[in-house]
């Protein structure tokens, strides 16, 4: 279980576009008011890969990147953060786009452009080539697990890669795009494949309505997952390792927004487990102290992210200096 092996992160990149106030300074009289978009690189798995690499974990991104302007944006962002992009696929399809119109109270009305885009077209051959070679862990989740036709191929990869790597899943339920029932039906299969399952309390409300985090963890253990982690925002994090509970508090934070918080928590958590040499197999040697340390570090990384605008995870030097700027 070498700490030198990379962590592979599989999944989507999403162009997060925010409607900005139009600049009408030079608009001719009678001309239509232009729509101005402020576009940032996003997507849960991509956010996790960026955060992991910035923390210093050797990180390899397995994604299908479009040739369009957004694909170039993603490539620059990931490469600039130190992510290994050598196993990405050059895709002919367009990038996935999410457009958010922000109200005065800060709430967002989203429209998604995700049909037939690059991220969901994985084939078995592409995944076999992308995941070839030693890795300590494969982390995936979000829409890559549910958007067809690629999701079925991703599930087949998970079943095979367990022989040589720890499998980490973060479903990151998106009910505006995919019905929660789709996640519920797939969850037993994911639990059978996963060594680590991370969910937010919002995810649990969709997947097991009315269940406490403890009850849900026990059900996921029965389905095959040894380590269940439930993030609960300001209430902290609960982990269950084969039924042994560990809970840590969330560090105090002045929240700017929560974009990328769960993705960054997962990066910090995996970074700590990787550094402890706990990844590479079925977590058989994971100790309670290692788990506690990893939860606390993940919470610290998430706190740094919610303290700044957008999904802008910190670099290792920022955390060492006690700062929160990404």
């Amino acid at each position: 279980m070498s700490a030198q092996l990379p962590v592979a992160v599989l999944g989507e990149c999403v162009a997060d576009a925010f409607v900005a106030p139009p600049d009408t300074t030079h608009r001719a009289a009678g001309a239509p008011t232009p729509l101005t978009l402020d576009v940032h690189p996003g997507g849960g798995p991509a956010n996790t890969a960026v955060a992991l690499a910035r923390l210093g974990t050797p990180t390899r991104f397995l994604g299908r990147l479009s040739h369009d302007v957004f694909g170039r944006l993603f490539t620059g962002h990931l490469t600039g953060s130190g992510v290994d992009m050598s196993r990405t696929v050059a895709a002919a399809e367009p990038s996935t786009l999410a457009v958010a119109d922000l109200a005065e109270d800060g709430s967002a009305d989203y429209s998604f452009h995700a049909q037939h885009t690059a991220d969901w077209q994985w084939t078995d051959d592409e995944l076999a080539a992308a995941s070839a070679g030693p890795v300590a862990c494969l982390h995936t989740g979000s829409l890559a697990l549910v958007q067809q036709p690629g999701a079925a191929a991703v599930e087949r990869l998970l079943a095979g890669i367990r022989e040589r790597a720890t499998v980490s899943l973060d479903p990151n339920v998106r009910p505006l795009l995919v019905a929660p029932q789709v996640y519920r039906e797939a969850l037993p299969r994911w639990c059978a494949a996963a060594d680590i399952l991370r969910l937010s309390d919002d995810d649990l409300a969709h997947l097991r309505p009315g269940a406490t985090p403890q009850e849900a963890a026990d059900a996921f253990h029965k389905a095959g997952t040894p380590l269940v982690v439930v993030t609960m925002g300001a209430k902290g994090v609960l982990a269950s390792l084969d039924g042994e509970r560990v809970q840590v508090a969330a560090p105090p934070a002045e929240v700017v927004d929560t974009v990328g918080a769960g993705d960054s928590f997962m990066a910090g958590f995996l970074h700590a487990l990787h550094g402890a040499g706990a990844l590479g197999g079925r977590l058989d040697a994971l100790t309670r102290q290692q788990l506690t340390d990893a939860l606390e570090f993940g919470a610290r990384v998430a706190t740094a992210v919610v303290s700044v605008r957008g999904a802008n995870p910190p670099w290792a030097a920022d955390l060492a200096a006690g700062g929160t700027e990404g």
Side-chain angles (χ1 to χ4, degrees), residues 182-289:
V182 174
Y183 293 87
R184 293 187 202 115
E185 292 173 355
L187 195 55
R189 301 193 302 272
W190 298 341
C191 288
D195 300 295
I196 303 169
L197 180 68
R198 199 288 297 195
L199 308 104
S200 69
D201 46 4
D202 286 340
D203 292 335
L204 278 186
H206 291 296
L207 297 178
R208 295 190 69 86
T212 67
Q214 293 84 354
E215 291 168 343
D218 289 340
F220 300 146
H221 291 324
K222 277 187 182 178
T225 303
L227 177 56
V228 178
V229 178
V230 181
T231 53
M232 301 175 290
K235 296 179 181 178
V237 188
L238 171 74
S240 182
L241 180 60
D242 288 323
E244 182 180 4
R245 319 290 198 206
V246 177
Q247 188 161 356
V248 303
E254 291 190 15
V255 177
V256 175
D257 66 44
T258 60
V259 177
D263 309 322
S264 297
F265 165 83
M266 204 61 207
F269 183 69
L270 292 175
H271 171 77
L273 293 182
H274 185 268
L279 300 178
R282 304 284 74 82
L283 307 176
D284 299 325
L286 180 62
T287 68
R288 183 184 180 90
Q289 187 59 55

Side-chain angles (χ1 to χ4, degrees), residues 46-164:
N47 291 340
T48 298
V50 165
L52 264 171
R54 289 185 178 186
L55 292 171
T57 291
T59 306
R60 180 178 299 157
F61 186 64
L62 314 183
R64 301 183 88 259
L65 296 180
S66 176
H67 56 83
D68 62 20
V69 63
F70 301 127
R72 296 194 293 275
L73 174 69
F74 303 146
T75 299
H77 179 54
L78 287 154
T79 301
S81 295
V83 178
D84 174 5
M85 301 291 283
S86 63
R87 301 295 181 87
T88 56
V89 173
E93 302 84 5
S95 297
T96 303
L97 174 65
V99 181
D101 186 10
L102 297 178
E104 290 185 5
D105 65 358
S107 62
D109 180 23
Y110 283 95
S111 63
F112 291 93
H113 306 267
Q115 294 299 315
H116 311 294
T117 53
D119 301 282
W120 332 123
Q121 313 306 318
W122 284 109
T123 67
D124 291 306
D125 288 345
E126 285 176 343
L127 285 170
S131 63
V135 293
C137 174
L138 174 69
H139 173 75
T140 188
S142 208
L143 292 169
L145 281 174
V146 289
Q147 288 280 58
Q148 301 296 349
V154 171
E155 284 198 23
R156 288 191 289 272
L157 171 67
L158 297 180
I161 206 167
R162 290 189 83 247
E163 299 175 2
R164 56 188 175 90

